[in-house]
Amino acid sequence: MTRKIALITGAGRGLGKSAALNLAAQGVDIIGTYHSKADEAQALVSQIEQLGSRAVMLQLDVSQSASFGDFADEVAGVLKEVFAQEHFDFLLNNAGIGIHASFAETTEAQFDQLVGVQFKGPFFLTQKLLPLIRDGGRILNVSSGLARFSLPGYAAYAAMKGAMEVLTRYQAKELGGRGISVNILAPGAIETDFGGGAVRDNAALNSMVANNTALGRAGLPDDIGGAIASLLADGSHWITGQRIEASGGMFL
């Protein structure tokens, strides 16, 4: 039986790392990308191999869309040389950055950086990788609870996530003919180093999140990694074009 392969952007740490480990535990092989921390990326390869799966980590800056053609060629080479396959099964567009700035004070440079990483990047990366995604495969994009509820300081960031939610529906519609399902997962507040680690390290913020979450705490990376693995499991293929929030019931 052919093993399934997931390509995960931003796999070296945080939610991407948790997703890679949860998928590897289900017998999925991993092609991951990292931006700059090669040591963390290679440490993840070792962890995945300990779970009995294979992994390759590739450097990618998702804000540099001009590099995506070469990256797709690199992925094709890895598929052939390492996995003896021509296609991969799952694409997880996870890589992202957080910029906190009020609407009134957001600069064009911040806005353009967010567009490049959060919207233009996954738009054109997915486009370039389409020939390598297996018919019947899955694409899972990543949004944020901030696209549903509003907290000051995230106007630009949340707007990009809202754009990704709309794009997800169009991708589901247009790729359905190939049997590819496309969904978007919206995490709530998670204890990672994202955005400077504020949810994890700021006790007052963490308490505010916990007090406004039905399950009574801030999220942990494995809460999201587990949700991702569930959405990419065999029984979930009939779900497509959907926004699924994994927030523990934040701001219900």
Coordinates of all heavy atoms in Angstrom, one line a residue, residues 19-54:
A19 N 1.3 19.5 13.6 CA 0.6 18.8 12.6 C 1.4 17.7 12.0 O 1.0 16.6 11.7 CB 0.2 19.8 11.5
A20 N 2.7 18.0 11.7 CA 3.6 17.0 11.2 C 3.7 15.8 12.1 O 3.7 14.7 11.6 CB 5.0 17.7 10.9
L21 N 3.9 16.0 13.4 CA 4.0 14.9 14.3 C 2.7 14.1 14.4 O 2.8 12.9 14.5 CB 4.5 15.4 15.7 CG 5.9 16.0 15.7 CD1 6.2 16.7 17.0 CD2 6.9 14.9 15.4
N22 N 1.6 14.8 14.4 CA 0.3 14.1 14.5 C 0.1 13.3 13.2 O -0.4 12.1 13.3 CB -0.8 15.0 14.8 CG -1.0 15.4 16.2 OD1 -1.8 14.7 16.9 ND2 -0.4 16.4 16.7
L23 N 0.4 13.8 12.1 CA 0.2 13.1 10.8 C 1.2 11.9 10.8 O 0.8 10.8 10.3 CB 0.4 14.0 9.7 CG -0.8 15.0 9.4 CD1 -0.4 16.1 8.5 CD2 -2.0 14.2 8.9
A24 N 2.4 12.1 11.2 CA 3.4 11.1 11.1 C 3.0 9.9 12.0 O 3.2 8.7 11.7 CB 4.8 11.6 11.6
A25 N 2.4 10.2 13.2 CA 1.9 9.2 14.1 C 0.8 8.3 13.4 O 0.5 7.2 13.8 CB 1.4 9.8 15.4
Q26 N 0.1 8.9 12.4 CA -0.9 8.2 11.6 C -0.3 7.5 10.4 O -1.1 6.9 9.6 CB -2.0 9.1 11.2 CG -2.8 9.7 12.3 CD -4.0 10.6 11.8 OE1 -4.2 10.8 10.6 NE2 -4.8 11.0 12.8
G27 N 1.0 7.5 10.3 CA 1.6 6.8 9.2 C 1.8 7.6 7.9 O 2.0 7.1 6.8
V28 N 1.7 8.9 8.0 CA 1.8 9.8 6.9 C 3.3 10.3 6.8 O 3.9 10.7 7.8 CB 0.9 11.0 7.0 CG1 1.1 12.0 5.8 CG2 -0.6 10.5 7.0
D29 N 3.9 10.3 5.6 CA 5.2 10.8 5.4 C 5.1 12.3 5.2 O 4.1 12.8 4.7 CB 5.9 10.2 4.2 CG 6.3 8.7 4.5 OD1 6.5 8.3 5.7 OD2 6.3 7.9 3.5
I30 N 6.2 13.0 5.5 CA 6.1 14.5 5.6 C 7.2 15.2 4.7 O 8.4 14.8 4.7 CB 6.3 15.0 7.0 CG1 5.3 14.4 8.0 CG2 6.3 16.5 7.1 CD1 3.9 14.7 7.7
I31 N 6.8 16.1 3.9 CA 7.6 17.1 3.3 C 7.3 18.4 3.9 O 6.2 18.9 3.8 CB 7.5 17.2 1.7 CG1 7.7 15.9 1.0 CG2 8.4 18.3 1.2 CD1 7.4 15.9 -0.4
G32 N 8.2 19.0 4.7 CA 8.0 20.2 5.4 C 8.8 21.3 4.9 O 9.9 21.1 4.3
T33 N 8.4 22.5 5.1 CA 9.2 23.7 4.8 C 9.5 24.5 6.1 O 8.8 24.4 7.0 CB 8.6 24.7 3.8 OG1 7.6 25.5 4.4 CG2 7.9 23.9 2.6
Y34 N 10.7 25.2 6.0 CA 11.1 26.0 7.1 C 11.6 27.3 6.5 O 12.0 27.3 5.3 CB 12.1 25.4 8.0 CG 13.4 25.1 7.3 CD1 14.5 26.0 7.4 CD2 13.6 24.0 6.5 CE1 15.7 25.8 6.7 CE2 14.8 23.8 5.9 CZ 15.8 24.7 6.0 OH 17.0 24.5 5.3
H35 N 11.6 28.4 7.2 CA 12.0 29.7 6.7 C 13.5 29.9 6.9 O 14.2 30.2 5.9 CB 11.3 30.8 7.3 CG 11.6 32.2 6.8 ND1 12.4 33.1 7.6 CD2 11.4 32.8 5.7 CE1 12.6 34.2 6.9 NE2 12.0 34.0 5.7
S36 N 14.0 29.7 8.1 CA 15.4 30.0 8.4 C 16.1 29.1 9.4 O 17.3 29.0 9.4 CB 15.5 31.5 8.9 OG 14.8 31.7 10.1
K37 N 15.3 28.4 10.3 CA 15.9 27.7 11.3 C 16.1 26.2 10.9 O 15.3 25.3 11.2 CB 15.1 27.8 12.6 CG 15.0 29.2 13.1 CD 14.2 29.3 14.4 CE 14.3 30.8 14.9 NZ 13.5 30.9 16.2
A38 N 17.2 26.0 10.2 CA 17.5 24.6 9.7 C 17.7 23.6 10.8 O 17.3 22.4 10.6 CB 18.7 24.7 8.8
D39 N 18.2 24.0 11.9 CA 18.5 23.1 13.0 C 17.2 22.5 13.6 O 17.0 21.3 13.9 CB 19.3 23.7 14.1 CG 18.8 25.1 14.6 OD1 17.9 25.6 13.9 OD2 19.2 25.5 15.7
E40 N 16.2 23.4 13.8 CA 14.9 23.0 14.2 C 14.2 22.1 13.2 O 13.6 21.1 13.6 CB 14.0 24.2 14.5 CG 14.3 25.0 15.7 CD 13.3 26.1 15.9 OE1 12.3 26.2 15.2 OE2 13.6 27.0 16.9
A41 N 14.4 22.4 12.0 CA 13.8 21.5 10.9 C 14.4 20.1 10.9 O 13.7 19.1 10.8 CB 14.1 22.2 9.5
Q42 N 15.7 20.0 11.1 CA 16.3 18.7 11.1 C 16.0 17.9 12.4 O 15.9 16.7 12.4 CB 17.9 18.8 10.9 CG 18.3 19.3 9.6 CD 17.6 18.5 8.4 OE1 17.7 17.3 8.4 NE2 17.0 19.2 7.5
A43 N 15.8 18.6 13.5 CA 15.4 18.0 14.7 C 14.0 17.4 14.5 O 13.7 16.3 15.0 CB 15.3 19.0 15.9
L44 N 13.1 18.1 13.8 CA 11.8 17.5 13.5 C 11.9 16.3 12.6 O 11.2 15.3 12.9 CB 10.9 18.6 12.8 CG 9.5 18.1 12.4 CD1 8.7 17.6 13.6 CD2 8.8 19.2 11.6
V45 N 12.8 16.2 11.7 CA 13.0 15.0 10.8 C 13.3 13.8 11.7 O 12.7 12.7 11.6 CB 14.1 15.2 9.8 CG1 14.5 13.9 9.2 CG2 13.7 16.3 8.8
S46 N 14.2 14.0 12.7 CA 14.5 12.9 13.6 C 13.3 12.5 14.4 O 13.1 11.3 14.6 CB 15.6 13.4 14.6 OG 16.8 13.7 13.9
Q47 N 12.5 13.4 14.9 CA 11.3 13.1 15.7 C 10.3 12.3 14.8 O 9.7 11.3 15.3 CB 10.6 14.3 16.2 CG 11.4 15.0 17.3 CD 10.6 16.3 17.8 OE1 10.8 17.3 17.3 NE2 9.8 16.1 18.8
I48 N 10.1 12.7 13.5 CA 9.2 12.0 12.6 C 9.7 10.6 12.4 O 8.9 9.6 12.3 CB 9.0 12.8 11.3 CG1 8.2 14.1 11.6 CG2 8.3 12.0 10.3 CD1 8.2 15.1 10.5
E49 N 11.0 10.4 12.2 CA 11.6 9.1 11.9 C 11.4 8.2 13.1 O 11.2 7.0 12.9 CB 13.0 9.2 11.5 CG 13.2 9.9 10.1 CD 14.7 10.2 9.8 OE1 15.5 10.1 10.7 OE2 15.0 10.4 8.6
Q50 N 11.4 8.7 14.3 CA 11.2 7.9 15.5 C 9.8 7.4 15.6 O 9.5 6.4 16.2 CB 11.5 8.7 16.7 CG 13.0 9.0 16.9 CD 13.3 10.0 18.1 OE1 12.4 10.4 18.8 NE2 14.5 10.5 18.1
L51 N 8.9 8.1 14.9 CA 7.5 7.7 14.8 C 7.2 6.7 13.7 O 6.1 6.2 13.5 CB 6.6 8.9 14.6 CG 6.5 9.9 15.8 CD1 5.7 11.1 15.4 CD2 5.8 9.2 17.0
G52 N 8.3 6.4 12.9 CA 8.2 5.4 11.9 C 7.8 5.9 10.5 O 7.5 5.2 9.6
S53 N 7.8 7.2 10.4 CA 7.5 7.9 9.1 C 8.8 8.5 8.5 O 9.8 8.7 9.2 CB 6.4 8.9 9.2 OG 5.2 8.3 9.5
R54 N 8.8 8.9 7.3 CA 9.9 9.6 6.6 C 9.6 11.1 6.5 O 8.4 11.5 6.4 CB 10.2 8.9 5.3 CG 10.7 7.5 5.3 CD 10.9 6.9 4.0 NE 9.6 6.8 3.3 CZ 9.5 6.4 2.0 NH1 10.6 6.2 1.3 NH2 8.3 6.3 1.5

